[in-house]
Amino acid sequence: MKQLTASVFWLETAVGARCYWLDAGERVAIIDPGMKAGLNRVARELREAGRSPYEVTDILLTHYDIDHTGAAAEWQRRTGARAWIGAADAAILTGAVPATTPLRQVTSRIGRAELPGNLRLLDGDAELWPGLSALHTPGHTPGHHAFRAGRVLFAGDAAVLAKGRLESPPALLMTSPGQALADLARLRTLDVDWYCCGHSDPGTRR
């Protein structure tokens, strides 16, 4: 468990996407808990750091891809936490609408994350609680949201970090490459100090 700021930690043992822990006092969130295979490893990492998985009050999901959400339903069952995801991505997980790219359509046949209980749906920008906001960034998936906590941005798969600058992931991973570029431009304007992305190690802005 690597401390980044007074309230943000990187959980390094997660399987899949990068996973983060946000301690906001009365609210404690895990962001993109990764794949189910890593759940017990993350729980052990927390305990070794003197924390408990049962502290979690909120599970923040940037989008529906299984490498970000695979462990979310089991985390929710164990902790009773609220789970947050974009409404458009929740519809994909329930099968109400199809996956958004040919690659995702193939991978969804192999495995699709279970939609967690105690669900809160996001539909556009929103303030989840004072100091934490969700930013709708639908270029990667229709329901993709980045999260901003003070001077830390949790970008999910809307961007990767390279030499202190946000860059675009490969276009073939995007539902809408044009929208993805607009999302990237928006995120670059935010006045933050830390970038926490889904598929690059966290780092400070340069």
Side-chain angles (χ1 to χ4, degrees):
M1 187 174 183
K2 184 175 181 179
Q3 186 166 10
L4 306 180
T5 73
S7 60
V8 175
F9 302 80
W10 173 22
L11 297 175
E12 299 175 276
T13 59
V15 175
R18 305 299 192 277
C19 174
Y20 301 98
W21 176 274
L22 172 64
D23 188 339
E26 293 182 359
R27 308 287 282 266
V28 175
I30 190 167
I31 301 164
D32 286 347
M35 300 183 75
K36 195 171 182 179
L39 188 150
N40 290 332
R41 289 168 52 173
V42 171
R44 184 164 55 251
E45 181 181 357
L46 286 169
R47 292 190 179 99
E48 289 173 353
R51 306 300 297 258
S52 168
Y54 295 99
E55 294 177 50
V56 171
T57 63
D58 295 86
I59 301 164
L60 309 181
L61 303 173
T62 58
H63 63 292
Y64 77 88
D65 287 344
I66 196 168
D67 56 332
H68 292 251
T69 63
E74 185 60 27
W75 266 97
Q76 195 285 320
R77 277 191 288 270
R78 294 187 186 188
T79 64
R82 289 168 289 262
W84 302 80
I85 193 171
D89 280 15
I92 293 168
L93 288 182
T94 62
V97 297
T100 53
T101 66
L103 176 61
R104 289 195 181 92
Q105 289 165 11
V106 171
T107 57
S108 68
R109 296 189 194 105
I110 300 170
R112 187 167 57 195
E114 178 187 353
L115 195 66
N118 199 7
L119 198 61
R120 308 293 194 273
L121 298 179
L122 299 167
D123 189 11
D125 293 359
E127 183 180 57
L128 278 60
W129 61 77
L132 179 70
S133 56
L135 308 172
H136 192 204
T137 43
H140 185 66
T141 64
H144 189 289
H145 285 74
F147 299 99
R148 180 180 181 178
R151 300 190 67 82
V152 179
L153 175 67
F154 303 97
D157 282 2
V160 293
L161 183 62
K163 298 181 179 179
R165 178 177 169 83
L166 291 182
E167 301 292 350
S168 179
L172 64 86
L173 299 176
M174 300 302 181
T175 296
S176 171
Q179 179 61 52
L181 291 176
D183 295 341
L184 179 65
R186 179 190 186 193
L187 296 180
R188 283 175 169 170
T189 68
L190 299 177
D191 186 17
V192 297
D193 297 326
W194 276 89
Y195 292 131
C196 297
C197 300
H199 292 286
S200 54
D201 289 350
T204 54
R205 182 178 186 173
R206 297 181 187 174

